Structure formats: structure tokens, C-alpha cells
Amino acid sequence: MEAKRRIVLVPVPAQGHVTPMMQLGKALYSEGFSITVVEGHFNQVSSSSQHFPGFQFVTIKESLPESEFERLGGIEFMIKLNKTSEASFKDCISQLLQQQGNDIACIIYDEFMYFCGAAAKEFKLPSVIFNSTSATNQVSRYVVGKLNAEKFLVDMEDPEMQDKVVENLYPLRYKDLPISEMGPLDRVFELCREVGNKRTASGVIINTVSCLESSSLSWLQQEVRIPVSPLGPLHMTASPPSSLLEEDRSCIEWLNKQKPRSVIYISVGTLGQMETKEVLEMAWGLCNSNQPFLWVIRAGSILGINGIDSLPDEFNKMVSERGYIVKRAPQIEVLGHPAVGGFWSHCGWNSTLESIGEGVPMICRPFHGEQKLNAMYIERVWRIGFQVEGKVDRGEVEKAVKRLIVDDEGAGMRERALVLKEKLKASVKNGGASYDALNELVKYLKTK
Ligand code: UDP
């Protein structure tokens, strides 16, 4: 019997999840697989389908409008989306099987789109789960999924429990588990349990590299009992990622005029938001540091106002001296530019991998749980950056920028980041760990 050739990809409709999954799609496409992307009605990848020639895009019936995200909040939205999408996804797979003459080798779904598990089971199709965050984040979710919400709240009143290291996974402590501020604890725990349930999946893909997270990966491997494939960073494996949004390339010309390793690049990702007051403090601090800066300020990234035009004149005056602002930067190219000396980041996992992949040290300003885990690793495990905690204050911003770009301490962080960069490059090359993991996956898929 001829091997099946079609892979169905089901991403979460958010840039940080879509980008690595589509990178995997490109890698599999170049191995001869056909790719079908199943999506809902918002943040559609198909809107930038020109970047994915040969891919098929299928939209499933809308089960929850995007507006519900605001009303329900992220946790409740995901739980409900999964409950309401199961039937339309089954219909979609049934139709695809008819159209394609049963040619589906595997469904690869984002861990948050766990409704796919039911269709895989019903149609007896192989499935693999895709994780776009760190292995340590998966570990934390497993740990959380096993806890009892009420008991946990009581236990966490004890400072000794808060500081306790989780199951030999130094430096991860109970108080670092990514659950704070995300929603009512019992609902967070429920989502963690659902995401942790591997259903009938035959493997787990993680966009990470074994040299960055070996202890978390071994822990996970023991726990999930199906193959775990750390095959990242995917942005270094396949052709360069394609953004769903337009990037402002004029910043590259501006970078060309700056001195080597002098610029601090600032981005809080595709979702992060700052208060106007914080933005002004940042601007003061950046100016006082005397270092040039490239700053991404999205239309919605300042709370309560629509873009920088509504900021006081004071802001423009400060920025025009030594700064450059864009709504969206070609981030990987920026990080790889010789003028960039550091990255002020919210520490999303993609940004973290991209910074390490270019050997750029970081100032960490995480917003929530998962980003805090990444920041902890950046500061304490890889020692390629440090966190700025507390209120954003111009003095602290100035100090942080100087510490990273000018001081010897920052030079040490850069050296370590450059060492890691080489390790990452080696891991995606022929014979490297991520290269082998991707090859294994391809081999497995070709037997289906
Ligand atoms: N990004 C970009 N240009 C920007 C801001 C962000 O290309 O101006 C990309 C960045 O390279 C990364 C992604 O958007 O791949 C952000 O993902 P991450 O996981 O870091 O954070 P999230 O947005 O999911 O919080």
C-alpha cells in the first residue's frame, strides 16, 4: 500500500503559535508531504497564503466568535472553543478523507486544540501534539494538572512550600508555576489537565532544543510515555518564518547607521500591553542611557490609547534624539543585525529562541506565568540576561540598558549567548539533536 502523504495541521490562531507550526509545515512540505491547514474564522493563516505555496487551507464552521475572547477571558475561551469545535472538526476530517481518498497520514494539532483528539480517534488517524512553548512550561502544566486547586491554595500560604523546588527540577519552584493571574484556579487546573491528556496521540513535538532544557525534557519523556521530539528552534530549521502582519523594514536602514552592538531592541510581543505612564518612563530611561534604541510599539500595545500619536509631545522629542519606532519589525533580521547589542523582551518563547539563535543577551520583563518561566531560565540557567522587576522607572530602565550594553557583566552575558547560538546552530545541522529529531518524525510519518 502506498504511504499516505497528507498532513493536517491545526494551529491556535495567534501569531506566536502559528509561526512555529507553519515552519514545521514548510519543513514537512519540503520532505514531500502535502499540507492542509485547518483554521477557524479569525487570525487566518490563509490571509498570508502567498507565503505557503502548495498548502491547502480549510475553514471550519465558526464555533465561537473572537469577540467571546474579551468576554470570557483566555482560559474560559479555550475550554469552550474545544467543547464547541469537536463536531465541526469531525465533519471537516470526514470531508477531507472523502476528497483525498483517505490520504491523511497524520493530524498535527497545537496542544491547546485538543478537540482534534476525538476526530483522530473516531477516524483511527494517527495524531501528534505540537507545543509552541518550552519543555519546562509543559512540565509545569503537568505538575499543575495533578494538583488539587483548593489544597494548593492552602499549601501555598506556607512560604517554605512556595520556595520548594518542583520534583528536582531546579530552579523551578512551586511559586513559579505558571498559574497566577490567568483566571480562577480550578479552571486553570482544568485546562492544564485537558492539555496534559495526550488522548490517542502517538508523539509530542516541542519547539525547543535538548541542550537548552535537558532535565525538563527527560522529566517529560518519562511522564508522557510517548516519544517527545525536541526539534527546534523551527525558525532555524526551515526557510525564514513568514509573518501574518506587515513588517516595517525601514528600521534595517536605521540600524545600518548605528555602531556595532550599541542598539537596544525593545518588543513586548504580539499581545503585550503597557500603560502610558510606563511607556513614558521607558522613553526617559532609554534616552538617559545614551544608547540608541529600536522600539516596537503596536497599535494596541499602549493601554487606553491608539498608538503613539496620542502620546504627549515630550515622548516624540525624547524618541527623535536617538530612537526609532516601528509598529512591527522583522525581528529575526533585527536580532541578527550587527548593530543590536541587546533585547528588552517580554520573553515569549519564540522571542527567547530567536534571541538565543542570534546570540543576543536580554533584559527580561515578563507579563505572565509562562514568560516568567522563560525569564527565570534566561537569568538563572543560561545566564544570558536579567529581569527588571517592580514598577517601570526611568532610573531602573537606564541602569538596565547600561548594565547589558555597556558593562562587563553584559559582555559576559553576550559571550554565553554566543556560545548557545553556536550550540543551536549545530543542533539543527546534519547530525545535530534537533535535526535527528525532525528526521525521526519524518520517518515515522512516512510509515503511515
Ligand atoms: N514579532 C515580529 N516583529 C515584531 C514583534 C514580534 O516579527 O515587531 C514576532 C517575533 O519574531 C516572534 C513572535 O512575533 O516570532 C512573537 O512570539 P512570542 O512567542 O515571542 O510572543 P507572543 O507574541 O506569543 O507573546
Side-chain angles (χ1 to χ4, degrees):
M1 203 174 72
E2 216 177 296
K4 301 203 167 83
R5 275 282 167 259
R6 184 157 301 272
I7 306 288
V8 174
L9 296 180
V10 189
V12 161
Q15 179 81 60
H17 290 257
V18 164
T19 308
M21 188 179 262
M22 296 307 285
Q23 289 297 118
L24 177 67
K26 281 189 178 174
L28 296 177
Y29 186 77
S30 69
E31 290 287 340
F33 291 100
S34 309
I35 307 291
T36 297
V37 180
V38 176
E39 51 188 357
H41 284 258
F42 55 94
N43 281 344
Q44 290 194 319
V45 190
S46 48
S47 63
S48 55
S49 59
Q50 73 277 13
H51 296 302
F52 308 103
F55 284 28
Q56 179 193 25
F57 292 90
V58 179
T59 304
I60 54 173
K61 216 171 64 211
E62 181 168 70
S63 57
L64 259 193
E66 190 179 9
S67 54
E68 285 289 275
F69 188 85
E70 292 287 314
R71 194 178 71 81
L72 295 170
I75 301 284
E76 217 49 58
F77 181 84
M78 282 320 294
I79 293 177
K80 205 165 166 192
L81 181 80
N82 273 284
K83 286 204 173 115
T84 51
S85 301
E86 210 173 285
S88 44
F89 186 66
K90 277 186 189 168
D91 287 349
C92 165
I93 291 295
S94 157
Q95 274 181 19
L96 279 175
L97 285 169
Q98 278 173 26
Q99 286 163 11
Q100 315 282 354
N102 279 339
D103 179 24
I104 295 182
C106 187
I107 302 175
I108 301 183
Y109 63 93
D110 190 290
E111 56 176 343
F112 283 104
M113 306 303 254
Y114 52 84
F115 62 82
C116 298
K121 189 171 174 203
E122 180 163 324
F123 296 101
K124 298 199 171 51
L125 291 171
S127 63
V128 170
I129 296 170
F130 182 86
N131 294 294
S132 62
T133 59
S134 69
T136 307
N137 191 36
Q138 325 298 322
V139 168
S140 309
R141 272 214 234 95
Y142 265 102
V143 173
V144 170
K146 286 186 188 161
L147 295 170
N148 169 292
E150 272 172 42
K151 182 170 179 309
F152 182 68
L153 277 180
V154 177
D155 286 352
M156 285 302 279
E157 283 170 14
D158 175 1
E160 232 176 81
M161 180 67 186
Q162 290 177 18
D163 285 329
K164 197 171 151 198
V165 172
V166 177
E167 310 197 21
N168 298 325
L169 283 164
Y170 174 84
L172 184 68
R173 295 156 304 180
Y174 274 88
K175 68 176 176 197
D176 302 317
L177 291 172
I179 46 180
S180 56
E181 314 126 36
M182 275 169 36
L185 215 51
D186 55 333
R187 304 301 282 162
V188 175
F189 284 24
E190 177 173 340
L191 186 62
C192 287
R193 269 191 288 275
E194 291 286 9
V195 171
N197 176 352
K198 297 300 172 231
R199 297 172 171 83
T200 55
S202 42
V204 175
I205 296 168
I206 308 186
N207 186 25
T208 190
V209 196
S210 51
C211 66
L212 292 181
E213 302 189 274
S214 57
S215 54
S216 298
L217 280 163
S218 331
W219 192 99
L220 258 189
Q221 184 58 77
Q222 276 195 354
E223 182 69 25
V224 301
R225 295 172 192 280
I226 46 176
V228 173
S229 315
L231 44 66
L234 280 158
H235 76 273
M236 293 170 81
T237 329
S239 54
S242 335
S243 169
L244 300 184
L245 306 160
E246 206 179 315
E247 290 161 351
D248 184 346
R249 298 191 44 79
S250 65
C251 59
I252 302 293
E253 279 157 47
W254 179 84
L255 282 174
N256 288 342
K257 294 185 205 128
Q258 311 304 321
K259 291 200 191 104
R261 290 182 176 167
S262 64
V263 175
I264 179 94
Y265 167 62
I266 305 127
S267 164
V268 296
T270 54
L271 305 166
Q273 291 185 311
M274 291 174 78
E275 312 248 351
T276 307
K277 213 170 127 226
E278 290 176 329
V279 173
L280 289 175
E281 285 297 315
M282 272 293 283
W284 271 110
L286 290 167
C287 275
N288 294 344
S289 76
N290 281 330
Q291 295 302 128
F293 58 92
L294 170 60
W295 194 351
V296 176
I297 304 187
R298 306 182 324 270
S301 66
I302 308 176
L303 275 165
I305 65 168
N306 191 18
I308 53 169
D309 295 342
S310 326
L311 287 173
D313 286 346
E314 169 199 2
F315 176 83
N316 286 324
K317 233 178 26 216
M318 280 186 289
V319 166
S320 60
E321 268 183 41
R322 58 185 103 257
Y324 197 80
I325 296 194
V326 287
K327 291 201 176 86
R328 187 170 173 88
Q331 181 162 300
I332 297 173
E333 202 179 333
V334 164
L335 289 168
H337 195 287
V340 171
F343 184 9
W344 175 295
S345 173
H346 74 307
C347 304
W349 185 240
N350 291 296
S351 294
T352 303
L353 287 178
E354 288 160 8
S355 207
I356 298 174
E358 300 300 336
V360 176
M362 299 166 86
I363 297 174
C364 306
R365 183 89 194 159
F367 292 102
H368 61 68
E370 181 236 323
Q371 297 161 3
K372 286 183 186 160
L373 283 185
N374 301 336
M376 189 173 80
Y377 265 66
I378 290 166
E379 184 176 80
R380 297 172 56 185
V381 179
W382 309 317
R383 296 169 49 236
I384 55 166
F386 56 89
Q387 289 200 57
V388 175
E389 286 170 298
K391 266 202 202 143
V392 183
D393 161 277
R394 64 189 73 179
E396 292 301 321
V397 174
E398 179 187 342
K399 251 195 344 221
V401 173
K402 285 185 175 153
R403 185 175 165 199
L404 191 71
I405 307 270
V406 186
D407 294 356
D408 287 348
E409 198 191 351
M413 293 173 190
R414 180 168 308 104
E415 248 168 59
R416 286 187 285 277
L418 286 167
V419 170
L420 279 183
K421 169 187 173 173
E422 292 310 316
K423 287 191 178 170
L424 261 52
K425 272 168 64 183
S427 79
V428 296
K429 272 205 198 118
N430 197 340
S434 296
Y435 181 93
D436 288 347
L438 180 59
N439 260 354
E440 282 299 313
L441 175 75
V442 168
K443 258 201 247 159
Y444 163 78
L445 295 172
K446 285 188 174 169
T447 61
K448 293 293 123 197

